[in-house]
Amino acid sequence: FHRTPGRLTMTMARTTTTALGAAILALSATDDGVVSAFSSLGRGSTAAPHRAARHAMPNMATSTVMSARSSAFTNSASTTARQMTSTATEEMFDTSSLLTPAGYGFSSSAERILKKAKRSNDGYYKASASDRVIDVMAGIADSDSADVALVFDDDDALLGIFTETDYIKFSTTRAKGASTEVESAEFIVSPVSEYVTPTDKLLGIASTDTANLAIATMQQTGVRHLVVVDKLSSSNGISIIPTEGSNVRGVISMQDVMSLVQQDERLSLESLAKKFPGIENPVTLIQEEQKSQANALAKNPEIVKEDIIRVGTAVLSVASIGLFLSQSSWLHENSQLAMIAIFVIGYICIIFEEVFEFNKAAVALLMNTGMWVTYADFYQNESGVASEGVLEQLKEQLSDVAEICFFLLAASAIVEVVDAHQGFKVVTNLITTKSKKALFWVIGFLTFFLSAILNNLTVTIVMVSLLRKLVPNDDDRRLFGAMVVVAANAGGVWTPIGDVTTTMLWINNNLSTGPTVTELFLPSVVCLVGSLAFLVNQVEEDSSLSESTLPEPSTLAPRGQVVFWAGIASLLAVPVFSELTGLPPYIAMLTGLGAIWTLTDLIHFGEEGEEDLKVPAALSKLDTSGILFFLGILMSIGVLDRSGLLKDLAVFLNNNLPSQDIIATVIGIASALIDNVPLVAATMGMYDLADYGTDDKLWQLIALCAGTGGSILVIGSASGVALMGLEKVDFLWYARKVSVGAAVGYFAGIAAYLAQNALLHGEGLVLPALAAVDTVAGAV
């Protein structure tokens, strides 16, 4: 073999067909691979080819990682490698055993490895698809640091890699197919693209991936080189490359990786020796460094916070369990105080969910258990075991809460199915504005009127689903979602079927349909406008609506129209069904779900690949943790109601506040923190219908305040709780961004009602205006 700049002589062709031919055939058939003869040939060795091959032979049995096998890999092997690499990385490189700081040693990025290797042209020879094999071989031989060639097409797209294994395969094909020197020469001038390992069998890593992943990849797959790219076509580290828009950064070898790792670890040990003079044992040096790092972490505010939370939670849990198990007399004597304490602690954890990092559903369920155990075993109970009466109360409370949960489940599933069939095109086709502020008002009024004929919880679910298509920006969508909560609660006040508290008062004959609609409509509108006028100032106009995933207005397919109108009919039929049958609303909603389920099964009967359009797929997408949170909260509040604590609160308000208008206003503010259902129920028990007849000002004001006051805090209404689950809105964000605006609308609505009531009863506007000021001031 003679190397001449720019070409290989015919001597190579002649020799390969003789002595080297047999060696190449033997080497290419070996699965474990070798440090091949090609390594010597590629470096311009003057040794005879058969000698180079013979020198490589002893490595055949022992070399796996440093094998001559290329980055080429069959698709099945690639799949297996992808599955194995993550686990292998964890097993081989436990972070607690690393000697170097983050970003060095085994945690060095592929980009850093490539840079430190200091290879010319980033570790590869760049070849074109039309280049001859002989020229590519010469290019690699002439390169100071390239072991492989990357082959690109005319558009500079990567076609594949040409390595020593590819050359062995090429030589094997030539040895079998060329019977003369002329035929052998024709092989050498063939285009290299015919012999590359193509990109669909190529393995690589992202430039941000670490050395430990590179080593594990090469060990698990038996490759010597990895192609480094900007990004991979999958997310698990070892992948087919390149993904669209990704650029090739270079090629790294096992030698590049291990050289850098060893250099970093050696420097790290030298640094430790300087940091801890007098210690010569490397193990002791590492132990001292671990202690030093632990002490540094202990001073980190985040670590301190985490430790305090862990210790505090452990102490509180052990103390609570011990207190309950000990059957302490203190619990019997102070059971009401204990229930209040559990409720307050639980609510604090829910409010500061982002700080404590406890899932609010878990906190609500634990709070529910603690409060019911305290009530059942210690409240007016010397035996320490739940009585039959308490068990009946528990069943009643669970029944009431389950109605709401099943209602929510069925309504959410119906909305999801309608959305899957693009049914909301009927609504979205009407929304053409690209102005965010205009959209804010449009969605607000649309929600307001929909919540009057549906219920505010269902409308919130529908509108949030719509916003996910209309508003692509997460921050904007949270603000729009909060506006939906305010609008839905305001719209639910002025009809008997719009809000659960209005429905309660209506069913109990505290309110009737006509006066409720006529006398509460205007205050509800004022509440909505006041809040939206304040909140819209936070909306910043930009071009983000142009990025929405909402399709251009188009005709809805007949199937979509059928599902949409069937879904709307199912929701609208709920109050009618309940009125005609006397059965609770959740039965009507579950019936509607059953009808939609049957309808979609019939529509897609016998069709393959349409499972996403059916109810089971919709149910699988529901937020189960959100429903469990709802269950835990309402069950906990039920304890406060059953124990009489809410009744005591209502009596306290009646005895200490001078005006019933102020009482209603304060009840509305309290409903922002505590569920308005038990509050209104307690208020209904405080005042007799004989003293305050149907449609009395007190009942209308309670309906208005309890319905709209829940908007002041995100946990104050079912709509707000639903928003927390659907858009992951946390308590503190809502308090900062929305609570003031909701309060502005709340007090504006009360003032509008008092003024309207005065005009309707001929009292003039001066006294009501003063009364409104006194009411707001007294409530504040």
Side-chain angles (χ1 to χ4, degrees):
F1 170 61
H2 302 281
R3 182 168 66 86
T4 304
R7 65 186 184 89
L8 298 177
T9 66
M10 290 300 294
T11 307
M12 175 181 167
R14 287 195 301 271
T15 308
T16 305
T17 59
T18 54
L20 185 58
I24 290 174
L25 286 173
L27 299 180
S28 62
T30 303
D31 186 59
D32 285 337
V34 295
V35 180
S36 69
F38 178 75
S39 298
S40 298
L41 294 174
R43 299 298 179 193
S45 171
T46 57
H50 62 276
R51 186 186 307 163
R54 185 173 66 249
H55 288 174
M57 290 288 185
N59 291 313
M60 290 175 58
T62 58
S63 177
T64 300
V65 176
M66 299 296 291
S67 76
R69 220 178 311 173
S70 72
S71 296
F73 226 62
T74 64
N75 288 332
S76 61
S78 174
T79 301
T80 303
R82 286 195 294 271
Q83 295 170 347
M84 295 170 62
T85 299
S86 178
T87 302
T89 303
E90 294 175 2
E91 291 177 352
M92 292 170 57
F93 306 103
D94 184 355
T95 55
S96 63
S97 65
L98 301 183
L99 304 180
T100 55
Y104 294 85
F106 285 107
S107 61
S108 296
S109 66
E111 183 76 21
R112 182 170 180 263
I113 296 170
L114 202 59
K115 181 179 179 181
K116 291 295 183 179
K118 297 180 179 179
R119 290 177 177 267
S120 59
N121 201 34
D122 294 322
Y124 67 93
Y125 171 75
K126 186 174 183 180
S128 299
S130 58
D131 287 352
R132 301 178 301 176
V133 173
I134 187 173
D135 295 328
V136 174
M137 291 288 298
I140 295 174
D142 290 339
S143 173
D144 294 332
S145 55
D147 296 324
V148 299
L150 294 184
V151 182
F152 297 82
D153 63 13
D154 294 337
D155 296 326
D156 210 31
L158 181 64
L159 293 178
I161 192 171
F162 188 77
T163 69
E164 57 265 47
T165 297
D166 297 305
Y167 174 70
I168 291 173
K169 291 177 181 177
F170 158 77
S171 300
T172 302
T173 303
R174 182 181 60 190
K176 291 180 178 178
S179 57
T180 66
E181 292 185 352
V182 174
E183 292 177 351
S184 182
E186 291 176 351
F187 268 93
I188 288 201
V189 297
S190 300
V192 71
S193 58
E194 296 179 7
Y195 300 99
V196 299
T197 297
T199 53
D200 62 353
K201 295 183 179 180
L202 195 60
L203 298 179
I205 61 172
S207 58
T208 54
D209 286 333
T210 55
N212 54 5
L213 180 62
I215 295 171
T217 301
M218 286 189 270
Q219 185 185 47
Q220 292 295 325
T221 60
V223 302
R224 285 188 61 203
H225 301 89
L226 291 176
V227 180
V228 181
V229 293
D230 288 333
K231 51 187 175 180
L232 299 170
S233 58
S234 70
S235 60
N236 53 5
I238 173 171
S239 173
I240 304 299
I241 62 167
T243 187
E244 185 177 354
S246 178
N247 296 317
V248 175
R249 307 299 294 271
V251 177
I252 59 174
S253 66
M254 176 65 82
Q255 180 181 356
D256 297 333
V257 179
M258 291 310 302
S259 294
L260 181 62
V261 169
Q262 293 167 6
Q263 178 183 354
D264 286 348
E265 290 191 342
R266 184 175 64 254
L267 291 174
S268 180
L269 285 175
E270 291 175 357
S271 299
L272 290 179
K274 293 179 181 179
K275 185 176 181 179
F276 304 105
I279 302 177
E280 297 181 358
N281 190 326
V283 176
T284 306
L285 283 173
I286 294 171
Q287 291 174 342
E288 290 297 323
E289 177 62 11
Q290 289 174 341
K291 293 178 184 178
S292 176
Q293 291 177 357
N295 291 332
L297 286 175
K299 298 176 182 178
N300 187 310
E302 286 297 317
I303 301 296
V304 172
K305 184 198 79 171
E306 293 172 4
D307 289 342
I308 291 174
I309 291 174
R310 290 191 185 99
V311 173
T313 302
V315 171
L316 185 61
S317 301
V318 172
S320 301
I321 294 172
L323 191 63
F324 282 116
L325 293 178
S326 67
Q327 292 289 312
S328 170
S329 59
W330 184 90
L331 270 179
H332 288 280
E333 296 169 0
N334 301 277
S335 53
Q336 284 191 329
L337 180 61
M339 286 186 285
I340 294 173
I342 295 171
F343 182 79
V344 169
I345 292 172
Y347 251 84
I348 289 174
C349 291
I350 291 171
I351 291 171
F352 296 100
E353 179 188 15
E354 297 299 320
V355 176
F356 295 114
E357 299 183 14
F358 295 143
N359 188 284
K360 60 180 179 289
V363 174
L365 292 174
L366 291 174
M367 180 171 67
N368 158 60
T369 302
M371 293 180 70
W372 273 102
V373 169
T374 305
Y375 175 64
D377 294 356
F378 299 96
Y379 180 69
Q380 298 179 352
N381 184 357
E382 297 297 330
S383 66
V385 179
S387 64
E388 289 295 327
V390 171
L391 293 177
E392 284 299 318
Q393 289 180 334
L394 178 60
K395 292 177 182 178
E396 292 173 4
Q397 182 65 26
L398 181 59
S399 175
D400 294 340
V401 174
E403 290 184 16
I404 300 175
C405 290
F406 280 118
F407 185 95
L408 174 63
L409 180 73
S412 301
I414 292 174
V415 170
E416 190 67 42
V417 171
V418 171
D419 185 49
H421 287 82
Q422 298 184 342
F424 292 115
K425 273 188 177 181
V426 174
V427 177
T428 58
N429 282 347
L430 303 176
I431 302 175
T432 57
T433 179
K434 294 301 181 182
S435 167
K436 288 165 65 176
K437 291 189 176 182
L439 180 65
F440 196 81
W441 286 99
V442 169
I443 295 294
F445 274 96
L446 182 61
T447 302
F448 178 81
F449 286 104
L450 281 177
S451 66
I453 57 175
L454 304 175
N455 64 80
N456 49 9
L457 178 59
T458 303
V459 172
T460 300
I461 297 169
V462 171
M463 298 310 294
V464 170
S465 299
L466 177 61
L467 287 174
R468 288 175 176 173
K469 294 181 172 59
L470 280 171
V471 184
N473 184 278
D474 290 342
D475 291 334
D476 288 341
R477 192 167 60 250
R478 278 193 288 268
L479 183 61
F480 274 71
M483 172 269 294
V484 164
V485 170
V486 173
N489 288 338
V493 167
W494 60 279
T495 62
I497 61 174
D499 183 81
V500 63
T501 52
T502 310
T503 302
M504 288 169 55
L505 293 165
W506 175 57
I507 292 173
N508 198 51
N509 207 34
N510 298 89
L511 297 174
S512 60
T513 303
T516 300
V517 174
T518 57
E519 297 187 30
L520 291 182
F521 175 73
L522 180 60
S524 299
V525 171
V526 171
C527 176
L528 172 70
V529 172
S531 295
L532 263 61
F534 186 91
L535 295 174
V536 75
N537 294 319
Q538 299 183 46
V539 178
E540 297 181 1
E541 292 287 7
D542 55 33
S543 60
S544 61
L545 290 185
S546 62
E547 302 171 6
S548 69
T549 59
L550 200 66
E552 292 297 323
S554 59
T555 303
L556 182 62
R559 287 182 175 184
Q561 292 183 5
V562 171
V563 173
F564 172 77
W565 291 113
I568 295 299
S570 298
L571 299 175
L572 290 175
V574 170
V576 178
F577 180 94
S578 298
E579 185 73 18
L580 293 177
T581 63
L583 293 173
Y586 80 94
I587 294 292
M589 191 61 78
L590 288 172
T591 303
L593 176 60
I596 292 293
W597 200 325
T598 304
L599 174 65
T600 52
D601 282 350
L602 287 173
I603 288 175
H604 302 292
F605 181 77
E607 295 180 357
E608 298 291 337
E610 300 293 342
E611 297 303 319
D612 288 344
L613 301 178
K614 296 182 180 180
V615 173
L619 291 173
S620 68
K621 297 176 183 177
L622 298 185
D623 182 14
T624 308
S625 65
I627 294 176
L628 290 175
F629 169 65
F630 205 74
L631 172 72
I633 286 291
L634 294 183
M635 288 295 291
S636 299
I637 292 172
V639 176
L640 300 178
D641 184 30
R642 303 282 175 173
S643 64
L645 287 170
L646 293 181
K647 180 77 170 180
D648 293 342
L649 174 61
V651 172
F652 173 82
L653 293 175
N654 191 48
N655 293 335
N656 291 275
L657 295 179
S659 165
Q660 291 176 352
D661 296 343
I662 295 178
I663 290 175
T665 304
V666 171
I667 287 174
I669 295 174
S671 72
L673 182 63
I674 301 174
D675 188 72
N676 53 7
V677 172
L679 278 177
V680 172
T683 306
M684 290 165 59
M686 286 173 57
Y687 303 100
D688 199 310
L689 269 173
D691 300 322
Y692 303 91
T694 301
D695 296 321
D696 187 88
K697 172 181 158 184
L698 172 67
W699 303 124
Q700 291 184 342
L701 198 54
I702 286 176
L704 175 66
C705 294
T708 59
S711 302
I712 297 176
L713 296 177
V714 71
I715 58 175
S717 66
S719 301
V721 173
L723 180 67
M724 291 178 74
L726 292 170
E727 285 297 322
K728 309 306 178 188
V729 172
D730 64 79
F731 180 91
L732 294 179
W733 179 91
Y734 190 96
R736 290 194 310 269
K737 297 286 188 178
V738 183
S739 291
V740 175
V744 168
Y746 173 74
F747 288 116
I750 294 172
Y753 175 80
L754 293 175
Q756 173 188 267
N757 186 72
L759 286 174
L760 291 175
H761 294 85
E763 297 176 5
L765 287 177
V766 177
L767 292 177
L770 294 175
V773 173
D774 289 340
T775 297
V776 172
V780 173

